[in-house]
Amino acid sequence: MSVQKLVSVFTNPTSSNYQIAAQISKTLIKSGPKSLHHSPNLKSSINPQIANLVLTNPIVPLNSCLSFFNFIIKNPSFKNPNLYPYVVMFFRLVKDRRFVVAKNLLSNGVLDENLRCPVDDLGKMVEKCGDQGGRAGKFFDMLFRVYAENRLFDEAMAVFEYMIDKGFEVEERSCMFCLTVMKRSNEFDRLVKFLRRMVCCGVEITVYSMSLVVDCMCKRGEVERAEVLIKEMSDMGIKANTYTYNSLVESYIRKGKLEKVDEVLGLMERNNVARNVATYTLLIDGWTGRGKFDVAKKLFQEMHGRGIEGDLHLYTTMMNLCGKEENMKMAFALFDEMVDKGIPPSAHTYGALINGVCKVGKMDAADMLVQEMQSKGFDLNAVVFNTLMDGYCKKGMIDKAMELKGIMEKKGLVPDMIAYNTIANGLCRLNRNEEAKGVLFSMVETGLPLNAVNYTTLIDIYSKEGNFAEARRLLKEMREKGEEPTAITYNALIDAYSKRGKIKEARGIRAEMEERGLMPDVYTYSTLIHAECIAGKVDEAFKLFREMPQRSLIPNVVTYTVLISGLSKLGRSDEAFQLYDQMKEARIAPDNTVYASLVGSLHAPDS
């Protein structure tokens, strides 16, 4: 009967909006929302006023009201002028504690570009809904979060300012949510500005909000600004925690300012802020990256002494350290300790072990680790493939490396520049230079451009072949392509010129290297010293040797060996033995070549 009355009301031209709304409400109450679909005139006859009268009718059940709302919103003929129906439904849903539905409904409304409006207009719609028992603040808080979630930060800030102006409480967790989204969106300037605005407006600030902003500043390299912020927050009673300080530690390690790292650690001690496993992981990783393995191991022991349990990341970091030290016995002991503690290894963990055993040339062990890794459900990634190929190339097993490249491609992994360069270098070690060049040229054909490492490999090949014109052409080309030569690039030319007795050209490359702001390294000096010695110009070699400490370069076993050999051949045994004593004082172990040269110096004609 209700449906019939509803139809009659719509077909009566004298029916007012109020009469139609009242009849729709009665129909919804008695027959439910399905009855709406039985009136063919309903869709075209509902206007915004009728819709609002039905939605605001408190006696219409919420579910029926929600169905009616969806019915009109999905109706193409319904011309909705604003967000008022959404605001009405939001309050009804929140009153019934259906917050998720309310949030989704609000999102759909405010994200509709045809309905989007200034926050002041939304405020008027909220006022039109009357007293909502304090739920108006909930509306604006959720509106703030919706805008932030969808990266509409200008709109979110407008809502924030409206709430402050109207005296609504701004929840700290909503502000934290907004800060988090800003961080993910790389809106760092806006993020810092918003935190300071929160402070100015008296919004509660927690250490978590501060730590998030500090972390962003540090990742941008603005660690000094981060320290200023920490001081400001501390003066307000918001004290930094371990996570805050860890951001500073990480940033200073990345900058290489280890004295500042010590300052931060001292500050943590004075403020009774304990280090955690993440702190130690950062420190161990930082010292390992600088070759200070002993310091890193002491930190690991210190962590155990403080009763801090290691996690997966830390154990993997320590295994990487052991791999760099070629101490695989310790690496596998750490692996067993980790597993015994119930920490399952990751692909990165296996990668660290595989890298270590490849470095020491234990390719059988690498194959066993690969099998175990795959049995645990981890597939090989490009990094592991590159590591294995490098290991096989260094063992001279180039065919096995090429086979791995084929397997890699069959798995859908595209070899990168590192993979091609690894195989090219492996071929160079076997003096298969033409094949090495072919590998790099085939890489270019796949669409990968030559990088600095690839260019250096080609320059090294052509230099060793004596084709210096092509090597210099490539040097010029790489600069034109934006790939800056490194010390290794220049060293390849210096080494080749030196071995062919072209000392003048070798010196010229060194001068060019310095003109471009690159400092010669130990390899550069050792190569030039060797060349001067071969040419019988030992005094020139000595000049280069004395230059090294002035440039903070420490001579290595090769440097001493070539100079002692040069002196010995000229019968300058006293100087050779003095250099030998200096070598021992520097705790550099002489090899058989040194001993043979010293003995030979005693029998030289000029001795």
Side-chain angles (χ1 to χ4, degrees), residues 95-254:
K95 186 178 181 180
D96 202 50
R97 306 192 64 77
R98 294 169 66 172
F99 300 113
V100 174
V101 180
K103 179 177 177 289
N104 291 337
L105 181 141
L106 185 62
S107 295
N108 292 336
V110 299
L111 297 179
D112 187 334
E113 292 185 1
N114 295 320
L115 299 177
R116 198 175 300 169
C117 61
V119 65
D120 286 336
D121 290 351
L122 279 167
K124 292 172 184 175
M125 295 178 202
V126 170
E127 290 174 7
K128 188 177 176 182
C129 291
D131 181 23
Q132 293 296 327
R135 284 184 283 274
K138 185 71 178 176
F139 172 85
F140 287 108
D141 181 72
M142 197 169 285
L143 180 64
F144 174 62
R145 290 172 70 96
V146 165
Y147 280 138
E149 183 178 20
N150 289 279
R151 293 172 169 77
L152 297 170
F153 297 119
D154 288 336
E155 288 82 352
M157 292 303 100
V159 174
F160 176 85
E161 295 297 341
Y162 183 88
M163 293 177 76
I164 295 297
D165 184 55
K166 298 296 182 182
F168 291 114
E169 179 188 359
V170 181
E171 295 186 25
E172 195 278 336
R173 65 187 181 90
S174 297
C175 291
M176 179 67 180
F177 175 79
C178 185
L179 290 168
T180 303
V181 179
M182 286 177 174
K183 178 183 176 182
R184 289 175 187 160
S185 306
N186 296 322
E187 292 278 352
F188 298 122
D189 290 332
R190 194 192 291 270
L191 179 143
V192 175
K193 185 178 178 182
F194 179 48
L195 182 76
R196 295 197 181 282
R197 185 66 185 135
M198 288 168 63
V199 173
C200 291
C201 294
V203 177
E204 179 191 2
I205 307 287
T206 67
V207 66
Y208 304 108
S209 296
M210 178 184 71
S211 297
L212 185 144
V213 177
V214 165
D215 188 58
C216 284
M217 286 178 162
C218 289
K219 281 183 168 55
R220 292 185 75 189
E222 299 174 356
V223 62
E224 290 81 8
R225 278 184 69 197
E227 288 201 90
V228 170
L229 179 65
I230 291 171
K231 178 67 171 60
E232 289 177 8
M233 295 291 109
S234 178
D235 292 341
M236 294 171 56
I238 303 162
K239 304 297 181 184
N241 62 13
T242 307
Y243 301 98
T244 321
Y245 287 118
N246 281 352
S247 295
L248 297 178
V249 169
E250 182 180 16
S251 186
Y252 279 129
I253 287 174
R254 200 184 303 119

Side-chain angles (χ1 to χ4, degrees), residues 408-422:
M408 182 182 182
E409 289 170 327
K410 284 179 182 176
K411 284 181 171 287
L413 296 170
V414 179
D416 57 12
M417 288 179 278
I418 296 172
Y420 281 101
N421 208 71
T422 297

Side-chain angles (χ1 to χ4, degrees), residues 343-416:
I343 303 171
S346 68
H348 293 297
T349 314
Y350 281 107
L353 291 175
I354 291 168
N355 183 55
V357 294
C358 285
K359 193 171 183 181
V360 297
K362 302 293 185 183
M363 299 312 296
D364 289 342
D367 287 338
M368 291 171 64
L369 283 167
V370 166
Q371 289 173 19
E372 182 179 328
M373 179 181 178
Q374 290 177 317
S375 71
K376 299 284 186 183
F378 299 115
D379 208 353
L380 302 189
N381 56 29
V383 175
V384 175
F385 271 111
N386 286 346
T387 302
L388 290 166
M389 284 189 280
D390 187 54
Y392 281 118
C393 285
K394 285 175 179 172
K395 291 282 285 185
M397 302 169 68
I398 191 68
D399 293 334
K400 183 68 176 175
M402 297 284 279
E403 181 187 328
L404 274 173
K405 178 176 172 285
I407 295 170
M408 182 182 182
E409 289 170 327
K410 284 179 182 176
K411 284 181 171 287
L413 296 170
V414 179
D416 57 12

